Amino acid sequence: MPRYLPKAPVARIIKEAGAERVSESATETLVYHLEKFGVEVAKQAAELARHAGRKTVTADDIDLAIQAIWKKSKK
């Protein structure tokens, strides 16, 4: 899977969450998982838009996709 997210902002997210220091591997691992999650959300959102007869993915599609994925992961 190609990398889309830059490492520096992801490392800052980890630091803002309370880490004093962040290893390169921790940053790379979070980048990987964020991108994987993002692709799943985008796929679900695109399907919702198609189901609604639209070509454009909206913010509501993204929100609904995230809700659906979180509900599915809690089961």
Side-chain angles (χ1 to χ4, degrees), residues 2 14 16 33 59:
I14 298 170
E16 287 179 18
H33 287 289

Side-chain angles (χ1 to χ4, degrees), residues 5-51:
L5 298 176
K7 292 180 190 176
V10 174
R12 282 195 299 274
I13 289 170
I14 298 170
K15 285 185 176 183
E16 287 179 18
E20 286 186 37
R21 296 174 57 189
V22 182
S23 71
E24 184 77 14
S25 64
T27 300
E28 289 172 359
T29 301
L30 186 55
V31 164
Y32 170 79
H33 287 289
L34 288 172
E35 288 179 350
K36 192 173 171 183
F37 181 71
V39 168
E40 277 305 306
V41 170
K43 285 180 181 177
Q44 182 89 23
E47 180 58 36
L48 289 166
R50 276 192 295 277
H51 180 74

